[in-house]
Amino acid sequence: EGTAFFSGFANLINAMRKCPKLIVGRIHGKAIGGGVGIAAACDYVLATQQASIKLSELAIGIGPFVIEPAVSRKIGKTALAEMTLAAHEWKTAGWAKDKGLFANIFETTEELDAAVVGFCSQLASYNPDALIEMKKVLWEGTDHWETLLTERAAISGRLVLSDFTKSALNQFKK
């Protein structure tokens, strides 16, 4: 059951990776764990100042194993380690932009929405075939993720059912 749950994230990231269209992310609030992974799997992300991020998995006895390849691809292993090992700390939208997760950040949701519409309108004016080829370039070297993310889902699935994690989750619920 644990593996099946985490395979959902693996399947989503792989679908985003293989989608021939560019995926533009719009983040307007806090993203934690899998939400950070989904943002990282987007090809381009715009966010508000309120879009802080956190990888808290170690605090409950698991790790961000399934989303790690997507997150590392965007922000690098050093920033990933900073987020993962400081599992209780929120990182600001500015931090996420500096590390490459967000392309740009905006003060308000209205400014974000206008930027998303403007950016997508600009993309729509480009040669569709060139965009498809660019998507392939952006995801070069990830063909092995089909297997890797499934293996990572099994790790998370095993850990989420451990006594340590069950205890941590019970404490979290209280």
Side-chain angles (χ1 to χ4, degrees):
E1 290 177 12
T3 300
F5 174 81
F6 289 102
S7 291
F9 286 104
N11 294 337
L12 176 59
I13 291 169
N14 276 318
M16 293 173 77
R17 176 180 65 83
K18 293 186 290 186
C19 175
K21 302 288 186 178
L22 291 170
I23 299 173
V24 177
R26 175 195 174 276
I27 314 299
H28 69 277
K30 292 181 175 183
I32 188 167
V36 175
I38 293 168
C42 291
D43 299 302
Y44 198 86
V45 178
L46 301 171
T48 65
Q49 289 285 353
Q50 295 75 36
S52 53
I53 59 173
K54 179 166 71 167
L55 295 178
S56 60
E57 288 87 344
L58 283 179
I60 60 167
I62 60 174
F65 301 110
V66 177
I67 65 168
E68 178 278 323
V71 176
S72 290
R73 178 179 151 270
K74 281 284 179 81
I75 69 173
K77 294 280 188 184
T78 302
L80 174 83
E82 184 178 338
M83 283 188 74
T84 301
L85 299 178
H88 291 88
E89 292 180 16
W90 286 96
K91 299 296 184 186
T92 66
W95 186 92
K97 182 180 183 296
D98 290 346
K99 301 300 181 193
L101 183 63
F102 300 159
N104 209 341
I105 51 176
F106 302 90
E107 288 292 324
T108 67
T109 303
E110 294 75 22
E111 290 172 333
L112 170 63
D113 290 343
V116 168
V117 168
F119 183 74
C120 290
S121 295
Q122 188 66 51
L123 281 180
S125 74
Y126 298 158
N127 179 339
D129 293 329
L131 292 173
I132 290 169
E133 294 304 320
M134 192 68 232
K135 173 83 176 208
K136 292 176 187 174
V137 169
L138 294 175
W139 287 92
E140 280 179 350
T142 64
D143 290 340
H144 67 291
W145 284 20
E146 202 72 45
T147 303
L148 175 66
L149 299 187
T150 301
E151 291 169 356
R152 297 287 183 84
I155 294 169
S156 293
R158 177 177 46 83
L159 291 172
V160 78
L161 299 175
S162 71
D163 289 339
F164 183 97
T165 300
K166 288 177 185 176
S167 175
L169 288 173
N170 284 331
Q171 291 298 321
F172 182 73
K173 289 177 185 178
K174 293 177 184 177

Short mmCIF file of all heavy atoms in Angstrom, two decimals, residues 48-49 51-52 91-100 102 105:
data_model
loop_
_atom_site.label_atom_id
_atom_site.label_comp_id
_atom_site.label_asym_id
_atom_site.label_seq_id
_atom_site.Cartn_x
_atom_site.Cartn_y
_atom_site.Cartn_z
N THR A 48 4.14 33.46 -6.19
CA THR A 48 4.01 34.67 -5.37
C THR A 48 5.04 34.65 -4.25
O THR A 48 5.64 33.60 -3.96
CB THR A 48 2.61 34.79 -4.73
OG1 THR A 48 2.43 33.71 -3.80
CG2 THR A 48 1.50 34.81 -5.76
N GLN A 49 5.18 35.79 -3.59
CA GLN A 49 6.08 35.89 -2.43
C GLN A 49 5.67 34.92 -1.32
O GLN A 49 6.48 34.54 -0.51
CB GLN A 49 6.07 37.33 -1.88
CG GLN A 49 6.74 38.35 -2.75
CD GLN A 49 8.26 38.25 -2.68
OE1 GLN A 49 8.84 37.51 -1.90
NE2 GLN A 49 8.91 39.02 -3.54
N ALA A 51 4.78 31.90 -1.64
CA ALA A 51 5.01 30.51 -2.05
C ALA A 51 6.28 29.95 -1.41
O ALA A 51 7.26 29.65 -2.08
CB ALA A 51 5.08 30.42 -3.58
N SER A 52 6.24 29.77 -0.11
CA SER A 52 7.38 29.16 0.57
C SER A 52 7.32 27.65 0.39
O SER A 52 6.27 27.08 0.08
CB SER A 52 7.40 29.56 2.05
OG SER A 52 6.18 29.28 2.66
N LYS A 91 11.53 27.42 3.42
CA LYS A 91 12.38 28.25 2.57
C LYS A 91 11.49 29.26 1.86
O LYS A 91 10.38 28.92 1.43
CB LYS A 91 13.15 27.41 1.54
CG LYS A 91 14.08 26.38 2.17
CD LYS A 91 15.17 27.05 2.95
CE LYS A 91 16.17 26.04 3.50
NZ LYS A 91 17.14 26.67 4.37
N THR A 92 11.96 30.47 1.73
CA THR A 92 11.15 31.53 1.13
C THR A 92 11.07 31.37 -0.39
O THR A 92 11.87 30.67 -1.01
CB THR A 92 11.74 32.91 1.43
OG1 THR A 92 13.01 33.03 0.76
CG2 THR A 92 11.91 33.15 2.93
N ALA A 93 10.11 32.09 -0.97
CA ALA A 93 9.99 32.11 -2.43
C ALA A 93 11.26 32.69 -3.04
O ALA A 93 11.71 32.25 -4.10
CB ALA A 93 8.77 32.92 -2.84
N GLY A 94 11.86 33.67 -2.38
CA GLY A 94 13.13 34.24 -2.86
C GLY A 94 14.23 33.20 -2.89
O GLY A 94 15.03 33.17 -3.83
N TRP A 95 14.30 32.37 -1.87
CA TRP A 95 15.28 31.28 -1.83
C TRP A 95 15.03 30.34 -3.01
O TRP A 95 15.97 29.95 -3.71
CB TRP A 95 15.18 30.54 -0.50
CG TRP A 95 16.23 29.49 -0.28
CD1 TRP A 95 17.43 29.65 0.34
CD2 TRP A 95 16.16 28.11 -0.67
NE1 TRP A 95 18.12 28.45 0.36
CE2 TRP A 95 17.35 27.49 -0.26
CE3 TRP A 95 15.21 27.33 -1.33
CZ2 TRP A 95 17.63 26.14 -0.47
CZ3 TRP A 95 15.48 25.98 -1.56
CH2 TRP A 95 16.67 25.40 -1.13
N ALA A 96 13.76 29.97 -3.23
CA ALA A 96 13.42 29.06 -4.32
C ALA A 96 13.78 29.66 -5.67
O ALA A 96 14.24 28.96 -6.57
CB ALA A 96 11.93 28.71 -4.27
N LYS A 97 13.60 30.96 -5.82
CA LYS A 97 13.97 31.63 -7.08
C LYS A 97 15.49 31.64 -7.24
O LYS A 97 16.02 31.33 -8.30
CB LYS A 97 13.44 33.06 -7.13
CG LYS A 97 13.77 33.77 -8.44
CD LYS A 97 13.21 35.19 -8.44
CE LYS A 97 13.46 35.89 -9.76
NZ LYS A 97 14.86 36.10 -10.08
N ASP A 98 16.20 31.97 -6.17
CA ASP A 98 17.67 31.99 -6.23
C ASP A 98 18.24 30.62 -6.58
O ASP A 98 19.27 30.53 -7.24
CB ASP A 98 18.25 32.46 -4.90
CG ASP A 98 18.01 33.93 -4.61
OD1 ASP A 98 17.63 34.68 -5.55
OD2 ASP A 98 18.18 34.33 -3.44
N LYS A 99 17.59 29.56 -6.14
CA LYS A 99 18.08 28.20 -6.40
C LYS A 99 17.62 27.65 -7.74
O LYS A 99 18.08 26.61 -8.17
CB LYS A 99 17.64 27.25 -5.27
CG LYS A 99 18.13 27.65 -3.90
CD LYS A 99 19.63 27.71 -3.82
CE LYS A 99 20.08 28.08 -2.42
NZ LYS A 99 21.47 28.45 -2.33
N GLY A 100 16.67 28.34 -8.41
CA GLY A 100 16.25 27.90 -9.74
C GLY A 100 14.93 27.15 -9.79
O GLY A 100 14.52 26.72 -10.87
N PHE A 102 11.90 28.49 -8.92
CA PHE A 102 10.97 29.47 -9.48
C PHE A 102 11.71 30.35 -10.46
O PHE A 102 12.83 30.80 -10.18
CB PHE A 102 10.37 30.35 -8.38
CG PHE A 102 9.59 29.63 -7.31
CD1 PHE A 102 9.38 30.22 -6.08
CD2 PHE A 102 9.04 28.37 -7.52
CE1 PHE A 102 8.66 29.58 -5.08
CE2 PHE A 102 8.32 27.72 -6.53
CZ PHE A 102 8.13 28.33 -5.30
N ILE A 105 9.07 35.63 -9.16
CA ILE A 105 8.10 35.74 -8.07
C ILE A 105 7.43 37.11 -8.12
O ILE A 105 8.03 38.09 -8.56
CB ILE A 105 8.74 35.48 -6.69
CG1 ILE A 105 9.99 36.32 -6.46
CG2 ILE A 105 9.06 34.01 -6.51
CD1 ILE A 105 10.61 36.16 -5.08
#
